[in-house]
Amino acid sequence: MGKTCSLLVVLTLCVVVVIAFSFTSVEARRSSHMKKTKPQKHHKHRSPPPDFESSPSHQTPPLPPYGPFPTQSSIFNVLSFGAKGDGISDDSEAIVAAWKAACNVPLATVEIPSEYKFLIKPITLQGPCMPHLVLQIDGTLIALPNVGAWSKSSLYQWINFKWVHNFTIKGTGTVDGQGSNWWSLSQVQHIKKRSNYIPNMKPTALRFYASYDVTVQDITIINSPLCHLKFDSSNGVKVNNVTISSPENSPNTDGIHLQNTQNVEIHHSNVGCGDDCVSIQTGCSNIHVHDINCSPGHGISLGGLGKDKSIACVKDIVVEHINMQSTLYGVRIKTWQGGQGSVKNVSFSDIQVSDVKVPIIIDQYYCDKNHCKNQTGAVAINGVKFDQIIGTYSVQPIHLACSSGIPCTDVDLINIQLQQSPGYRGFQQALCYNSFGKSQAPLVPSSIDYCLGRSGNAVKRITKSHDNIC
Ligand SMILES: *[C@@H]1O[C@H](CO)[C@@H](O)[C@H](O)[C@H]1NC(C)=O
Ligand SMILES: *[C@@H]1O[C@H](CO)[C@@H](O)[C@H](O)[C@H]1NC(C)=O
Ligand SMILES: *[C@@H]1O[C@H](CO)[C@@H](O)[C@H](O)[C@H]1NC(C)=O
Ligand SMILES: *[C@@H]1O[C@H](CO)[C@@H](O)[C@H](O)[C@H]1NC(C)=O
């Protein structure tokens, strides 16, 4: 709190004022700009692709589809910018060229047409652009399948959206990261020996960086080498009706990954992958995740937070109306020992679990090796509600392992009804270590009822004292 926060408030206000101003001027410029540039747009760039005749759906020229005034939108079809769409030719330059042209026009659409497959190398699609830019993905984008073909500098991500705002991705198409070669360790080790592989570096499929007011809807994202859809240092994100899919045995392939990002709604989507369906990392706040099917995967996670004694701040998270089927975890908060900062005001509610190994978990001893050094510091956890978590589990219903130095406080367990999955043996009891709060019936198994400690003021003081760094 204190200085840092008031400084933040002032900065935020400045940003808002600047944005408001630039929007006003953009709107003002828009009407005059459009009259001048619009008419020739489509004709100038339209030369049919070689296999134009073979695809009946492309025999009609792309018409501006929106609004009563056709001149208010402009379609930039990548085929008109030299893309082949045969799945073999490198169409990266064509996409970047279409993007750059569309970027300068308000209400423009970059069209990735259906029934074509575009092989794309790692690219950056950069803003700022004129408002209302749309990337319409109806066809398929595929990444380079051969690990060795990725240059060292391209290993962070495949398609990088940078500094875009008021931007939408939509369409019925597919973004295919072709990650299978990345997942198999042997291939990666082979590559490592002879060329440019950096250990533990794998590309994310779609990454947004420093972007705001962004919508991603309807598309399918599959087989990413690492994260499928990542938002980094962004603000104002909507993800709606997307399908994300990679196999259960694809390591580290998060579905949707948020980092340093605020004001997010993720909803009505199907996510299945080899790691977290939704992963919420440090710097995130006001995140609303709802109506998601998660299967397979590691569930919905906050963290790992506080690695290498870092400061982590996460707050105001709502996760509700979720279906989880045969996932490793359900809803989870994981922090490393030795971290700083806090997680607060988190609500997980109406989570239906079916054959989930551990549906409810707080793990403040998160560790990616066999064992990590014991450390006293921890990311403080305060105010976490688990409400209406219902279904079946196969290992342990609840596992709350809080830091021995800094207890978890205001942890509420309300209406938890977890039955054992049929056919499993060796179930573990509910575990709550150094975890305080209140529970409210119905609670099944009944051991949940006396799992939490009642938090006295002393306990709350310890947590509060570690809370002021965020
Ligand atoms: C872009 O701005 C317009 C008008 O302010 C708004 O209606 C629209 O939802 C915005 N689009 C995105 C993706 O934020
Ligand atoms: C969801 O996306 C699919 C395309 O992937 C589309 O056909 C469908 O109409 C969308 N649903 C809604 C409710 O928008
Ligand atoms: C907790 O988070 C929710 C959702 O972001 C928000 O509406 C609410 O105001 C927050 N509560 C507090 C006490 O900050
Ligand atoms: C860390 O602390 C726990 C609990 O006090 C103890 O069981 C464990 O053996 C310790 N681990 C190491 C590596 O010191």
Side-chain angles (χ1 to χ4, degrees):
M1 297 290 155
K3 274 181 193 159
T4 331
C5 274
S6 28
L7 187 59
L8 264 178
V9 168
V10 171
L11 278 176
T12 313
L13 278 176
C14 291
V15 170
V16 167
V17 169
V18 169
I19 292 166
F21 262 99
S22 54
F23 247 88
T24 322
S25 53
V26 161
E27 291 291 332
R29 259 184 284 139
R30 192 166 84 197
S31 42
S32 59
H33 177 89
M34 288 213 322
K35 278 175 202 121
K36 274 178 272 170
T37 56
K38 214 43 24 84
Q40 325 89 311
K41 207 95 249 166
H42 308 297
H43 310 289
K44 204 167 88 190
H45 293 301
R46 287 204 75 257
S47 60
D51 47 353
F52 187 73
E53 299 298 328
S54 67
S55 173
S57 65
H58 292 92
Q59 285 177 2
T60 46
L63 290 170
Y66 309 117
F69 310 108
T71 51
Q72 281 193 354
S73 86
S74 222
I75 294 191
F76 296 79
N77 190 324
V78 291
L79 294 172
S80 311
F81 287 80
K84 295 281 189 298
D86 56 12
I88 300 161
S89 314
D90 176 2
D91 288 330
S92 319
E93 280 181 25
I95 289 214
V96 171
W99 173 276
K100 283 184 174 161
C103 184
N104 292 319
V105 180
L107 296 160
T109 294
V110 175
E111 168 74 29
I112 311 290
S114 63
E115 291 168 54
Y116 289 86
K117 214 178 228 187
F118 301 92
L119 180 71
I120 308 294
K121 285 185 177 165
I123 53 171
T124 293
L125 300 176
Q126 192 169 310
C129 297
M130 297 299 276
H132 301 272
L133 181 61
V134 173
L135 175 59
Q136 177 82 28
I137 304 178
D138 291 322
T140 303
L141 301 179
I142 58 173
L144 298 166
N146 184 347
V147 172
W150 292 67
S151 73
K152 220 176 207 168
S153 61
S154 70
L155 290 176
Y156 287 96
Q157 69 271 316
W158 172 29
I159 303 178
N160 188 26
F161 297 92
K162 184 173 168 186
W163 302 333
V164 296
H165 55 86
N166 198 255
F167 168 67
T168 299
I169 297 182
K170 59 191 176 107
T172 55
T174 299
V175 176
D176 182 352
Q178 304 221 85
S180 61
N181 289 333
W182 290 94
W183 305 330
S184 60
L185 203 61
S186 56
Q187 158 98 359
V188 167
Q189 283 169 337
H190 174 69
I191 296 294
K192 181 180 176 178
K193 269 188 217 124
R194 64 172 175 78
S195 67
N196 51 19
Y197 173 72
I198 304 171
N200 299 322
M201 278 291 299
K202 294 176 189 176
T204 284
L206 301 183
R207 175 195 184 225
F208 283 86
Y209 175 72
S211 294
Y212 62 91
D213 291 344
V214 168
T215 299
V216 178
Q217 64 180 57
D218 305 341
I219 62 165
T220 298
I221 309 169
I222 61 172
N223 298 334
S224 178
L226 196 71
C227 301
H228 288 75
L229 177 58
K230 176 170 178 170
F231 296 90
D232 186 354
S233 307
S234 294
N235 196 330
V237 170
K238 285 193 195 313
V239 177
N240 177 18
N241 188 37
V242 301
T243 302
I244 291 178
S245 168
S246 64
E248 191 163 10
N249 62 359
S250 57
N252 306 317
T253 56
D254 283 350
I256 301 169
H257 186 101
L258 305 173
Q259 183 177 327
N260 272 315
T261 292
Q262 300 86 40
N263 305 312
V264 176
E265 184 179 16
I266 298 170
H267 61 115
H268 293 97
S269 294
N270 294 312
V271 183
C273 52
D275 207 305
D276 297 335
C277 288
V278 179
S279 169
I280 299 168
Q281 300 291 335
T282 186
C284 290
S285 64
N286 193 20
I287 312 292
H288 189 190
V289 180
H290 64 100
D291 297 283
I292 303 289
N293 291 316
C294 167
S295 178
H298 293 186
I300 295 181
S301 296
L302 275 56
L305 302 169
K307 190 177 186 181
D308 300 327
K309 304 192 179 207
S310 61
I311 299 174
C313 301
V314 174
K315 62 171 184 170
D316 304 341
I317 312 291
V318 175
V319 177
E320 59 187 348
H321 318 311
I322 308 289
N323 249 302
M324 308 236 187
Q325 171 91 42
S326 305
T327 52
L328 194 51
Y329 303 106
V331 287
R332 175 165 65 146
I333 301 174
K334 48 180 173 171
T335 72
W336 300 76
Q337 292 187 69
Q340 308 169 68
S342 66
V343 172
K344 52 186 176 182
N345 189 21
V346 178
S347 164
F348 299 106
S349 66
D350 185 19
I351 315 290
Q352 303 286 328
V353 293
S354 173
D355 195 29
V356 168
K357 285 201 166 66
V358 187
I360 299 175
I361 176 162
I362 294 178
D363 181 7
Q364 295 215 272
Y365 299 87
Y366 185 67
C367 177
D368 59 356
K369 309 186 272 285
N370 275 341
H371 39 236
C372 295
K373 225 170 63 196
N374 275 345
Q375 299 184 60
T376 48
V379 178
I381 295 180
N382 167 238
V384 183
K385 185 172 75 174
F386 299 95
D387 183 2
Q388 208 184 325
I389 319 276
I390 295 175
T392 57
Y393 70 94
S394 63
V395 173
Q396 190 174 25
I398 293 193
H399 183 99
L400 306 181
C402 293
S403 157
S404 50
I406 306 166
C408 301
T409 52
D410 290 328
V411 177
D412 292 346
L413 296 171
I414 304 162
N415 188 8
I416 312 291
Q417 301 180 55
L418 295 167
Q419 316 278 349
Q420 301 170 351
S421 292
Y424 285 93
R425 304 212 171 277
F427 297 100
Q428 297 167 26
Q429 288 294 315
L431 177 141
C432 298
Y433 173 71
N434 219 18
S435 190
F436 297 85
K438 59 179 192 296
S439 47
Q440 190 179 310
L443 297 167
V444 180
S446 56
S447 56
I448 294 172
D449 199 12
Y450 40 89
C451 192
L452 296 167
R454 305 266 174 255
S455 48
N457 287 336
V459 167
K460 284 191 176 167
R461 260 198 308 278
I462 299 173
T463 312
K464 274 266 148 56
S465 68
H466 288 85
D467 191 26
N468 51 16
I469 206 165
C470 289

